[in-house]
PDB file of all heavy atoms in Angstrom:
ATOM      1  N   GLY M   2      34.373 140.423  40.859  1.00 84.00           N
ATOM      2  CA  GLY M   2      34.308 138.988  40.618  1.00 84.00           C
ATOM      3  C   GLY M   2      33.507 138.343  41.736  1.00 84.00           C
ATOM      4  O   GLY M   2      32.408 138.791  42.068  1.00 84.00           O
ATOM      5  N   ASP M   3      34.075 137.322  42.343  1.00 83.00           N
ATOM      6  CA  ASP M   3      33.406 136.659  43.472  1.00 83.00           C
ATOM      7  C   ASP M   3      33.893 137.182  44.820  1.00 83.00           C
ATOM      8  O   ASP M   3      33.484 136.669  45.868  1.00 83.00           O
ATOM      9  CB  ASP M   3      33.650 135.140  43.406  1.00 83.00           C
ATOM     10  CG  ASP M   3      33.024 134.503  42.173  1.00 83.00           C
ATOM     11  OD1 ASP M   3      31.961 135.007  41.750  1.00 83.00           O
ATOM     12  OD2 ASP M   3      33.598 133.531  41.631  1.00 83.00           O
ATOM     13  N   THR M   4      34.764 138.173  44.797  1.00 87.00           N
ATOM     14  CA  THR M   4      35.367 138.676  46.029  1.00 87.00           C
ATOM     15  C   THR M   4      34.577 139.859  46.581  1.00 87.00           C
ATOM     16  O   THR M   4      34.336 140.844  45.879  1.00 87.00           O
ATOM     17  CB  THR M   4      36.822 139.116  45.777  1.00 87.00           C
ATOM     18  OG1 THR M   4      37.562 138.033  45.217  1.00 87.00           O
ATOM     19  CG2 THR M   4      37.476 139.560  47.079  1.00 87.00           C
ATOM     20  N   LEU M   5      34.156 139.735  47.841  1.00 87.00           N
ATOM     21  CA  LEU M   5      33.471 140.833  48.510  1.00 87.00           C
ATOM     22  C   LEU M   5      34.501 141.848  48.978  1.00 87.00           C
ATOM     23  O   LEU M   5      35.384 141.535  49.773  1.00 87.00           O
ATOM     24  CB  LEU M   5      32.669 140.300  49.703  1.00 87.00           C
ATOM     25  CG  LEU M   5      31.980 141.355  50.584  1.00 87.00           C
ATOM     26  CD1 LEU M   5      30.911 142.097  49.805  1.00 87.00           C
ATOM     27  CD2 LEU M   5      31.393 140.692  51.836  1.00 87.00           C
ATOM     28  N   LYS M   6      34.375 143.098  48.484  1.00 85.00           N
ATOM     29  CA  LYS M   6      35.331 144.131  48.837  1.00 85.00           C
ATOM     30  C   LYS M   6      34.884 144.981  50.021  1.00 85.00           C
ATOM     31  O   LYS M   6      35.697 145.644  50.662  1.00 85.00           O
ATOM     32  CB  LYS M   6      35.593 145.034  47.633  1.00 85.00           C
ATOM     33  CG  LYS M   6      36.355 144.350  46.511  1.00 85.00           C
ATOM     34  CD  LYS M   6      37.754 143.978  46.967  1.00 85.00           C
ATOM     35  CE  LYS M   6      38.596 143.389  45.858  1.00 85.00           C
ATOM     36  NZ  LYS M   6      39.966 143.056  46.312  1.00 85.00           N
ATOM     37  N   GLY M   7      33.584 144.985  50.300  1.00 86.00           N
ATOM     38  CA  GLY M   7      33.116 145.778  51.430  1.00 86.00           C
ATOM     39  C   GLY M   7      31.607 145.920  51.432  1.00 86.00           C
ATOM     40  O   GLY M   7      30.928 145.606  50.445  1.00 86.00           O
ATOM     41  N   LYS M   8      31.087 146.374  52.573  1.00 87.00           N
ATOM     42  CA  LYS M   8      29.660 146.636  52.720  1.00 87.00           C
ATOM     43  C   LYS M   8      29.481 148.031  53.313  1.00 87.00           C
ATOM     44  O   LYS M   8      30.182 148.403  54.250  1.00 87.00           O
ATOM     45  CB  LYS M   8      29.003 145.603  53.650  1.00 87.00           C
ATOM     46  CG  LYS M   8      29.035 144.177  53.144  1.00 87.00           C
ATOM     47  CD  LYS M   8      28.344 143.251  54.151  1.00 87.00           C
ATOM     48  CE  LYS M   8      28.421 141.798  53.726  1.00 87.00           C
ATOM     49  NZ  LYS M   8      27.768 140.902  54.729  1.00 87.00           N
ATOM     50  N   ILE M   9      28.537 148.785  52.753  1.00 86.00           N
ATOM     51  CA  ILE M   9      28.258 150.139  53.214  1.00 86.00           C
ATOM     52  C   ILE M   9      26.803 150.210  53.655  1.00 86.00           C
ATOM     53  O   ILE M   9      25.895 149.957  52.845  1.00 86.00           O
ATOM     54  CB  ILE M   9      28.502 151.183  52.100  1.00 86.00           C
ATOM     55  CG1 ILE M   9      29.861 150.978  51.438  1.00 86.00           C
ATOM     56  CG2 ILE M   9      28.349 152.592  52.660  1.00 86.00           C
ATOM     57  CD1 ILE M   9      31.033 151.229  52.334  1.00 86.00           C
ATOM     58  N   PRO M  10      26.518 150.531  54.914  1.00 89.00           N
ATOM     59  CA  PRO M  10      25.118 150.674  55.355  1.00 89.00           C
ATOM     60  C   PRO M  10      24.408 151.750  54.540  1.00 89.00           C
ATOM     61  O   PRO M  10      24.946 152.843  54.341  1.00 89.00           O
ATOM     62  CB  PRO M  10      25.245 151.075  56.832  1.00 89.00           C
ATOM     63  CG  PRO M  10      26.602 150.588  57.248  1.00 89.00           C
ATOM     64  CD  PRO M  10      27.471 150.732  56.039  1.00 89.00           C
ATOM     65  N   ILE M  11      23.213 151.456  54.079  1.00 87.00           N
ATOM     66  CA  ILE M  11      22.491 152.374  53.207  1.00 87.00           C
ATOM     67  C   ILE M  11      22.164 153.684  53.906  1.00 87.00           C
ATOM     68  O   ILE M  11      22.131 154.744  53.255  1.00 87.00           O
ATOM     69  CB  ILE M  11      21.203 151.702  52.664  1.00 87.00           C
ATOM     70  CG1 ILE M  11      20.620 152.512  51.505  1.00 87.00           C
ATOM     71  CG2 ILE M  11      20.194 151.508  53.768  1.00 87.00           C
ATOM     72  CD1 ILE M  11      21.459 152.528  50.268  1.00 87.00           C
ATOM     73  N   HIS M  12      21.972 153.658  55.227  1.00 85.00           N
ATOM     74  CA  HIS M  12      21.581 154.893  55.920  1.00 85.00           C
ATOM     75  C   HIS M  12      22.718 155.909  56.008  1.00 85.00           C
ATOM     76  O   HIS M  12      22.494 157.062  56.377  1.00 85.00           O
ATOM     77  CB  HIS M  12      21.057 154.572  57.325  1.00 85.00           C
ATOM     78  CG  HIS M  12      22.114 154.112  58.278  1.00 85.00           C
ATOM     79  ND1 HIS M  12      22.451 152.772  58.427  1.00 85.00           N
ATOM     80  CD2 HIS M  12      22.919 154.792  59.125  1.00 85.00           C
ATOM     81  CE1 HIS M  12      23.412 152.669  59.327  1.00 85.00           C
ATOM     82  NE2 HIS M  12      23.714 153.879  59.772  1.00 85.00           N
ATOM     83  N   THR M  13      23.950 155.492  55.652  1.00 82.00           N
ATOM     84  CA  THR M  13      25.078 156.427  55.675  1.00 82.00           C
ATOM     85  C   THR M  13      25.323 157.068  54.317  1.00 82.00           C
ATOM     86  O   THR M  13      26.206 157.917  54.191  1.00 82.00           O
ATOM     87  CB  THR M  13      26.369 155.712  56.108  1.00 82.00           C
ATOM     88  OG1 THR M  13      26.751 154.751  55.104  1.00 82.00           O
ATOM     89  CG2 THR M  13      26.180 155.003  57.442  1.00 82.00           C
ATOM     90  N   LEU M  14      24.542 156.676  53.306  1.00 82.00           N
ATOM     91  CA  LEU M  14      24.793 157.131  51.942  1.00 82.00           C
ATOM     92  C   LEU M  14      23.781 158.176  51.494  1.00 82.00           C
ATOM     93  O   LEU M  14      22.590 158.069  51.777  1.00 82.00           O
ATOM     94  CB  LEU M  14      24.747 155.950  50.963  1.00 82.00           C
ATOM     95  CG  LEU M  14      25.856 154.902  51.095  1.00 82.00           C
ATOM     96  CD1 LEU M  14      25.623 153.769  50.112  1.00 82.00           C
ATOM     97  CD2 LEU M  14      27.226 155.536  50.871  1.00 82.00           C
ATOM     98  N   GLY M  15      24.286 159.151  50.775  1.00 75.00           N
ATOM     99  CA  GLY M  15      23.418 160.132  50.145  1.00 75.00           C
ATOM    100  C   GLY M  15      23.382 159.968  48.643  1.00 75.00           C
ATOM    101  O   GLY M  15      22.508 160.502  47.969  1.00 75.00           O
ATOM    102  N   GLY M  16      24.354 159.215  48.094  1.00 77.00           N
ATOM    103  CA  GLY M  16      24.389 159.016  46.647  1.00 77.00           C
ATOM    104  C   GLY M  16      25.392 157.954  46.252  1.00 77.00           C
ATOM    105  O   GLY M  16      26.340 157.650  46.990  1.00 77.00           O
ATOM    106  N   LEU M  17      25.168 157.357  45.078  1.00 80.00           N
ATOM    107  CA  LEU M  17      26.094 156.419  44.444  1.00 80.00           C
ATOM    108  C   LEU M  17      26.479 157.005  43.088  1.00 80.00           C
ATOM    109  O   LEU M  17      25.603 157.446  42.327  1.00 80.00           O
ATOM    110  CB  LEU M  17      25.449 155.052  44.223  1.00 80.00           C
ATOM    111  CG  LEU M  17      25.194 154.141  45.421  1.00 80.00           C
ATOM    112  CD1 LEU M  17      24.434 152.899  44.966  1.00 80.00           C
ATOM    113  CD2 LEU M  17      26.498 153.738  46.060  1.00 80.00           C
ATOM    114  N   VAL M  18      27.764 157.007  42.773  1.00 79.00           N
ATOM    115  CA  VAL M  18      28.235 157.461  41.473  1.00 79.00           C
ATOM    116  C   VAL M  18      29.056 156.328  40.863  1.00 79.00           C
ATOM    117  O   VAL M  18      30.074 155.924  41.429  1.00 79.00           O
ATOM    118  CB  VAL M  18      29.077 158.747  41.593  1.00 79.00           C
ATOM    119  CG1 VAL M  18      29.518 159.213  40.213  1.00 79.00           C
ATOM    120  CG2 VAL M  18      28.281 159.852  42.272  1.00 79.00           C
ATOM    121  N   LEU M  19      28.605 155.829  39.715  1.00 82.00           N
ATOM    122  CA  LEU M  19      29.196 154.634  39.109  1.00 82.00           C
ATOM    123  C   LEU M  19      29.870 155.005  37.792  1.00 82.00           C
ATOM    124  O   LEU M  19      29.240 155.564  36.900  1.00 82.00           O
ATOM    125  CB  LEU M  19      28.116 153.581  38.868  1.00 82.00           C
ATOM    126  CG  LEU M  19      27.145 153.332  40.029  1.00 82.00           C
ATOM    127  CD1 LEU M  19      26.105 152.297  39.648  1.00 82.00           C
ATOM    128  CD2 LEU M  19      27.900 152.918  41.293  1.00 82.00           C
ATOM    129  N   PHE M  20      31.153 154.696  37.677  1.00 77.00           N
ATOM    130  CA  PHE M  20      31.928 155.030  36.489  1.00 77.00           C
ATOM    131  C   PHE M  20      32.104 153.802  35.606  1.00 77.00           C
ATOM    132  O   PHE M  20      32.627 152.774  36.051  1.00 77.00           O
ATOM    133  CB  PHE M  20      33.322 155.543  36.886  1.00 77.00           C
ATOM    134  CG  PHE M  20      33.322 156.896  37.541  1.00 77.00           C
ATOM    135  CD1 PHE M  20      33.026 157.035  38.890  1.00 77.00           C
ATOM    136  CD2 PHE M  20      33.629 158.029  36.808  1.00 77.00           C
ATOM    137  CE1 PHE M  20      33.040 158.277  39.497  1.00 77.00           C
ATOM    138  CE2 PHE M  20      33.642 159.280  37.405  1.00 77.00           C
ATOM    139  CZ  PHE M  20      33.345 159.404  38.740  1.00 77.00           C
ATOM    140  N   GLY M  21      31.689 153.907  34.351  1.00 79.00           N
ATOM    141  CA  GLY M  21      31.974 152.861  33.385  1.00 79.00           C
ATOM    142  C   GLY M  21      31.224 151.571  33.620  1.00 79.00           C
ATOM    143  O   GLY M  21      30.018 151.568  33.911  1.00 79.00           O
ATOM    144  N   GLN M  22      31.927 150.454  33.514  1.00 83.00           N
ATOM    145  CA  GLN M  22      31.314 149.135  33.571  1.00 83.00           C
ATOM    146  C   GLN M  22      31.147 148.684  35.023  1.00 83.00           C
ATOM    147  O   GLN M  22      31.887 147.846  35.535  1.00 83.00           O
ATOM    148  CB  GLN M  22      32.153 148.132  32.793  1.00 83.00           C
ATOM    149  CG  GLN M  22      32.283 148.466  31.308  1.00 83.00           C
ATOM    150  CD  GLN M  22      33.122 147.446  30.568  1.00 83.00           C
ATOM    151  OE1 GLN M  22      33.123 146.260  30.885  1.00 83.00           O
ATOM    152  NE2 GLN M  22      33.852 147.904  29.567  1.00 83.00           N
ATOM    153  N   VAL M  23      30.161 149.255  35.679  1.00 85.00           N
ATOM    154  CA  VAL M  23      29.802 148.884  37.049  1.00 85.00           C
ATOM    155  C   VAL M  23      28.347 148.462  37.027  1.00 85.00           C
ATOM    156  O   VAL M  23      27.483 149.201  36.559  1.00 85.00           O
ATOM    157  CB  VAL M  23      30.004 150.057  38.022  1.00 85.00           C
ATOM    158  CG1 VAL M  23      29.581 149.650  39.439  1.00 85.00           C
ATOM    159  CG2 VAL M  23      31.455 150.522  38.012  1.00 85.00           C
ATOM    160  N   SER M  24      28.063 147.253  37.511  1.00 87.00           N
ATOM    161  CA  SER M  24      26.712 146.697  37.459  1.00 87.00           C
ATOM    162  C   SER M  24      26.047 146.744  38.826  1.00 87.00           C
ATOM    163  O   SER M  24      26.728 146.734  39.868  1.00 87.00           O
ATOM    164  CB  SER M  24      26.744 145.247  36.957  1.00 87.00           C
ATOM    165  OG  SER M  24      27.388 145.167  35.701  1.00 87.00           O
ATOM    166  N   CYS M  25      24.715 146.790  38.820  1.00 87.00           N
ATOM    167  CA  CYS M  25      23.931 146.802  40.048  1.00 87.00           C
ATOM    168  C   CYS M  25      22.812 145.777  39.939  1.00 87.00           C
ATOM    169  O   CYS M  25      22.194 145.638  38.872  1.00 87.00           O
ATOM    170  CB  CYS M  25      23.286 148.172  40.294  1.00 87.00           C
ATOM    171  SG  CYS M  25      24.423 149.541  40.443  1.00 87.00           S
ATOM    172  N   SER M  26      22.516 145.100  41.036  1.00 89.00           N
ATOM    173  CA  SER M  26      21.339 144.231  41.045  1.00 89.00           C
ATOM    174  C   SER M  26      20.085 145.093  41.148  1.00 89.00           C
ATOM    175  O   SER M  26      20.126 146.201  41.691  1.00 89.00           O
ATOM    176  CB  SER M  26      21.412 143.270  42.225  1.00 89.00           C
ATOM    177  OG  SER M  26      21.117 143.950  43.441  1.00 89.00           O
ATOM    178  N   PRO M  27      18.946 144.602  40.641  1.00 89.00           N
ATOM    179  CA  PRO M  27      17.700 145.374  40.793  1.00 89.00           C
ATOM    180  C   PRO M  27      17.326 145.581  42.252  1.00 89.00           C
ATOM    181  O   PRO M  27      16.664 146.559  42.602  1.00 89.00           O
ATOM    182  CB  PRO M  27      16.666 144.527  40.051  1.00 89.00           C
ATOM    183  CG  PRO M  27      17.263 143.166  39.936  1.00 89.00           C
ATOM    184  CD  PRO M  27      18.731 143.360  39.889  1.00 89.00           C
ATOM    185  N   PHE M  28      17.774 144.676  43.111  1.00 90.00           N
ATOM    186  CA  PHE M  28      17.426 144.788  44.524  1.00 90.00           C
ATOM    187  C   PHE M  28      18.177 145.938  45.200  1.00 90.00           C
ATOM    188  O   PHE M  28      17.623 146.628  46.065  1.00 90.00           O
ATOM    189  CB  PHE M  28      17.731 143.465  45.242  1.00 90.00           C
ATOM    190  CG  PHE M  28      17.000 142.308  44.648  1.00 90.00           C
ATOM    191  CD1 PHE M  28      17.653 141.399  43.827  1.00 90.00           C
ATOM    192  CD2 PHE M  28      15.638 142.135  44.867  1.00 90.00           C
ATOM    193  CE1 PHE M  28      16.981 140.335  43.257  1.00 90.00           C
ATOM    194  CE2 PHE M  28      14.950 141.075  44.303  1.00 90.00           C
ATOM    195  CZ  PHE M  28      15.627 140.178  43.489  1.00 90.00           C
ATOM    196  N   VAL M  29      19.440 146.169  44.800  1.00 88.00           N
ATOM    197  CA  VAL M  29      20.170 147.278  45.389  1.00 88.00           C
ATOM    198  C   VAL M  29      19.624 148.609  44.864  1.00 88.00           C
ATOM    199  O   VAL M  29      19.586 149.611  45.597  1.00 88.00           O
ATOM    200  CB  VAL M  29      21.688 147.144  45.141  1.00 88.00           C
ATOM    201  CG1 VAL M  29      22.084 147.614  43.746  1.00 88.00           C
ATOM    202  CG2 VAL M  29      22.478 147.943  46.174  1.00 88.00           C
ATOM    203  N   LEU M  30      19.154 148.636  43.620  1.00 88.00           N
ATOM    204  CA  LEU M  30      18.528 149.851  43.100  1.00 88.00           C
ATOM    205  C   LEU M  30      17.228 150.137  43.847  1.00 88.00           C
ATOM    206  O   LEU M  30      16.915 151.295  44.144  1.00 88.00           O
ATOM    207  CB  LEU M  30      18.266 149.709  41.601  1.00 88.00           C
ATOM    208  CG  LEU M  30      19.511 149.663  40.702  1.00 88.00           C
ATOM    209  CD1 LEU M  30      19.100 149.478  39.244  1.00 88.00           C
ATOM    210  CD2 LEU M  30      20.354 150.913  40.860  1.00 88.00           C
ATOM    211  N   GLY M  31      16.475 149.073  44.163  1.00 89.00           N
ATOM    212  CA  GLY M  31      15.263 149.260  44.954  1.00 89.00           C
ATOM    213  C   GLY M  31      15.569 149.777  46.346  1.00 89.00           C
ATOM    214  O   GLY M  31      14.864 150.644  46.871  1.00 89.00           O
ATOM    215  N   LEU M  32      16.644 149.261  46.955  1.00 88.00           N
ATOM    216  CA  LEU M  32      17.057 149.717  48.279  1.00 88.00           C
ATOM    217  C   LEU M  32      17.433 151.205  48.238  1.00 88.00           C
ATOM    218  O   LEU M  32      17.053 151.967  49.145  1.00 88.00           O
ATOM    219  CB  LEU M  32      18.256 148.885  48.756  1.00 88.00           C
ATOM    220  CG  LEU M  32      18.839 149.224  50.137  1.00 88.00           C
ATOM    221  CD1 LEU M  32      17.831 148.891  51.233  1.00 88.00           C
ATOM    222  CD2 LEU M  32      20.154 148.475  50.367  1.00 88.00           C
ATOM    223  N   CYS M  33      18.139 151.614  47.182  1.00 86.00           N
ATOM    224  CA  CYS M  33      18.511 153.028  47.043  1.00 86.00           C
ATOM    225  C   CYS M  33      17.274 153.900  46.861  1.00 86.00           C
ATOM    226  O   CYS M  33      17.171 154.982  47.459  1.00 86.00           O
ATOM    227  CB  CYS M  33      19.460 153.202  45.857  1.00 86.00           C
ATOM    228  SG  CYS M  33      21.109 152.512  46.117  1.00 86.00           S
ATOM    229  N   ALA M  34      16.326 153.437  46.053  1.00 85.00           N
ATOM    230  CA  ALA M  34      15.112 154.215  45.822  1.00 85.00           C
ATOM    231  C   ALA M  34      14.314 154.388  47.109  1.00 85.00           C
ATOM    232  O   ALA M  34      13.819 155.480  47.410  1.00 85.00           O
ATOM    233  CB  ALA M  34      14.256 153.543  44.751  1.00 85.00           C
ATOM    234  N   GLU M  35      14.203 153.324  47.887  1.00 85.00           N
ATOM    235  CA  GLU M  35      13.447 153.387  49.146  1.00 85.00           C
ATOM    236  C   GLU M  35      14.076 154.359  50.132  1.00 85.00           C
ATOM    237  O   GLU M  35      13.377 154.993  50.931  1.00 85.00           O
ATOM    238  CB  GLU M  35      13.382 151.999  49.779  1.00 85.00           C
ATOM    239  CG  GLU M  35      12.500 151.013  49.025  1.00 85.00           C
ATOM    240  CD  GLU M  35      12.633 149.602  49.574  1.00 85.00           C
ATOM    241  OE1 GLU M  35      13.357 149.434  50.598  1.00 85.00           O
ATOM    242  OE2 GLU M  35      12.050 148.674  48.998  1.00 85.00           O
ATOM    243  N   ASN M  36      15.398 154.478  50.087  1.00 83.00           N
ATOM    244  CA  ASN M  36      16.109 155.329  51.041  1.00 83.00           C
ATOM    245  C   ASN M  36      16.530 156.671  50.441  1.00 83.00           C
ATOM    246  O   ASN M  36      17.342 157.373  51.023  1.00 83.00           O
ATOM    247  CB  ASN M  36      17.341 154.584  51.564  1.00 83.00           C
ATOM    248  CG  ASN M  36      16.982 153.444  52.487  1.00 83.00           C
ATOM    249  OD1 ASN M  36      16.830 153.628  53.691  1.00 83.00           O
ATOM    250  ND2 ASN M  36      16.830 152.244  51.917  1.00 83.00           N
ATOM    251  N   ARG M  37      15.957 157.000  49.282  1.00 77.00           N
ATOM    252  CA  ARG M  37      16.219 158.279  48.612  1.00 77.00           C
ATOM    253  C   ARG M  37      17.701 158.507  48.369  1.00 77.00           C
ATOM    254  O   ARG M  37      18.233 159.609  48.575  1.00 77.00           O
ATOM    255  CB  ARG M  37      15.622 159.436  49.406  1.00 77.00           C
ATOM    256  CG  ARG M  37      14.120 159.298  49.634  1.00 77.00           C
ATOM    257  CD  ARG M  37      13.535 160.558  50.240  1.00 77.00           C
ATOM    258  NE  ARG M  37      12.133 160.374  50.572  1.00 77.00           N
ATOM    259  CZ  ARG M  37      11.123 160.431  49.709  1.00 77.00           C
ATOM    260  NH1 ARG M  37      11.381 160.660  48.432  1.00 77.00           N
ATOM    261  NH2 ARG M  37       9.878 160.255  50.084  1.00 77.00           N
ATOM    262  N   VAL M  38      18.387 157.466  47.948  1.00 82.00           N
ATOM    263  CA  VAL M  38      19.800 157.557  47.580  1.00 82.00           C
ATOM    264  C   VAL M  38      19.873 157.673  46.062  1.00 82.00           C
ATOM    265  O   VAL M  38      19.476 156.751  45.346  1.00 82.00           O
ATOM    266  CB  VAL M  38      20.593 156.327  48.064  1.00 82.00           C
ATOM    267  CG1 VAL M  38      22.034 156.385  47.568  1.00 82.00           C
ATOM    268  CG2 VAL M  38      20.557 156.241  49.588  1.00 82.00           C
ATOM    269  N   THR M  39      20.349 158.789  45.566  1.00 78.00           N
ATOM    270  CA  THR M  39      20.444 159.006  44.123  1.00 78.00           C
ATOM    271  C   THR M  39      21.594 158.189  43.548  1.00 78.00           C
ATOM    272  O   THR M  39      22.697 158.166  44.094  1.00 78.00           O
ATOM    273  CB  THR M  39      20.670 160.495  43.815  1.00 78.00           C
ATOM    274  OG1 THR M  39      19.569 161.244  44.320  1.00 78.00           O
ATOM    275  CG2 THR M  39      20.800 160.732  42.317  1.00 78.00           C
ATOM    276  N   VAL M  40      21.320 157.499  42.436  1.00 84.00           N
ATOM    277  CA  VAL M  40      22.344 156.721  41.731  1.00 84.00           C
ATOM    278  C   VAL M  40      22.608 157.407  40.394  1.00 84.00           C
ATOM    279  O   VAL M  40      21.677 157.682  39.633  1.00 84.00           O
ATOM    280  CB  VAL M  40      21.887 155.272  41.490  1.00 84.00           C
ATOM    281  CG1 VAL M  40      23.003 154.460  40.821  1.00 84.00           C
ATOM    282  CG2 VAL M  40      21.476 154.608  42.808  1.00 84.00           C
ATOM    283  N   SER M  41      23.872 157.701  40.113  1.00 80.00           N
ATOM    284  CA  SER M  41      24.250 158.334  38.846  1.00 80.00           C
ATOM    285  C   SER M  41      25.228 157.438  38.104  1.00 80.00           C
ATOM    286  O   SER M  41      26.143 156.867  38.714  1.00 80.00           O
ATOM    287  CB  SER M  41      24.889 159.707  39.085  1.00 80.00           C
ATOM    288  OG  SER M  41      23.951 160.610  39.633  1.00 80.00           O
ATOM    289  N   TRP M  42      25.034 157.325  36.805  1.00 82.00           N
ATOM    290  CA  TRP M  42      25.917 156.559  35.937  1.00 82.00           C
ATOM    291  C   TRP M  42      26.717 157.516  35.064  1.00 82.00           C
ATOM    292  O   TRP M  42      26.151 158.400  34.411  1.00 82.00           O
ATOM    293  CB  TRP M  42      25.117 155.612  35.044  1.00 82.00           C
ATOM    294  CG  TRP M  42      24.550 154.431  35.752  1.00 82.00           C
ATOM    295  CD1 TRP M  42      25.116 153.199  35.907  1.00 82.00           C
ATOM    296  CD2 TRP M  42      23.277 154.351  36.417  1.00 82.00           C
ATOM    297  NE1 TRP M  42      24.283 152.368  36.626  1.00 82.00           N
ATOM    298  CE2 TRP M  42      23.148 153.044  36.949  1.00 82.00           C
ATOM    299  CE3 TRP M  42      22.227 155.254  36.608  1.00 82.00           C
ATOM    300  CZ2 TRP M  42      22.027 152.640  37.657  1.00 82.00           C
ATOM    301  CZ3 TRP M  42      21.115 154.858  37.315  1.00 82.00           C
ATOM    302  CH2 TRP M  42      21.015 153.555  37.827  1.00 82.00           C
ATOM    303  N   LEU M  43      28.048 157.337  35.073  1.00 75.00           N
ATOM    304  CA  LEU M  43      28.945 158.153  34.266  1.00 75.00           C
ATOM    305  C   LEU M  43      29.763 157.243  33.368  1.00 75.00           C
ATOM    306  O   LEU M  43      29.915 156.042  33.664  1.00 75.00           O
ATOM    307  CB  LEU M  43      29.891 158.970  35.149  1.00 75.00           C
ATOM    308  CG  LEU M  43      29.367 160.256  35.819  1.00 75.00           C
ATOM    309  CD1 LEU M  43      28.236 159.952  36.804  1.00 75.00           C
ATOM    310  CD2 LEU M  43      30.482 160.966  36.558  1.00 75.00           C
ATOM    311  N   THR M  44      30.286 157.782  32.280  1.00 76.00           N
ATOM    312  CA  THR M  44      31.231 157.011  31.485  1.00 76.00           C
ATOM    313  C   THR M  44      32.504 156.823  32.301  1.00 76.00           C
ATOM    314  O   THR M  44      32.705 157.464  33.329  1.00 76.00           O
ATOM    315  CB  THR M  44      31.577 157.718  30.166  1.00 76.00           C
ATOM    316  OG1 THR M  44      32.315 158.911  30.468  1.00 76.00           O
ATOM    317  CG2 THR M  44      30.318 158.082  29.381  1.00 76.00           C
ATOM    318  N   VAL M  45      33.379 155.974  31.812  1.00 70.00           N
ATOM    319  CA  VAL M  45      34.618 155.713  32.538  1.00 70.00           C
ATOM    320  C   VAL M  45      35.452 156.985  32.672  1.00 70.00           C
ATOM    321  O   VAL M  45      36.242 157.130  33.614  1.00 70.00           O
ATOM    322  CB  VAL M  45      35.422 154.599  31.834  1.00 70.00           C
ATOM    323  CG1 VAL M  45      35.943 155.065  30.483  1.00 70.00           C
ATOM    324  CG2 VAL M  45      36.566 154.100  32.722  1.00 70.00           C
TER     325      VAL M  45
END
């Protein structure tokens, strides 16, 4: 919703795995691409 649950520095991540109805801004996808962080989408 409008509540910030946390922030993760991109340089500490090797991948994002998103289950079900999880949305991403195009800017965060660009940030992941620039830092070679693989994003995977799975069903719930």
Side-chain angles (χ1 to χ4, degrees):
D3 296 327
T4 304
L5 175 65
K6 291 295 184 179
K8 296 180 183 179
I9 311 294
I11 193 67
H12 70 270
T13 67
L14 293 177
L17 288 175
V18 182
L19 314 178
F20 290 81
Q22 298 180 33
V23 178
S24 304
C25 300
S26 75
F28 302 103
V29 81
L30 292 178
L32 180 67
C33 290
E35 290 172 4
N36 289 273
R37 303 189 185 280
V38 175
T39 299
V40 183
S41 294
W42 287 268
L43 281 63
T44 67
V45 68

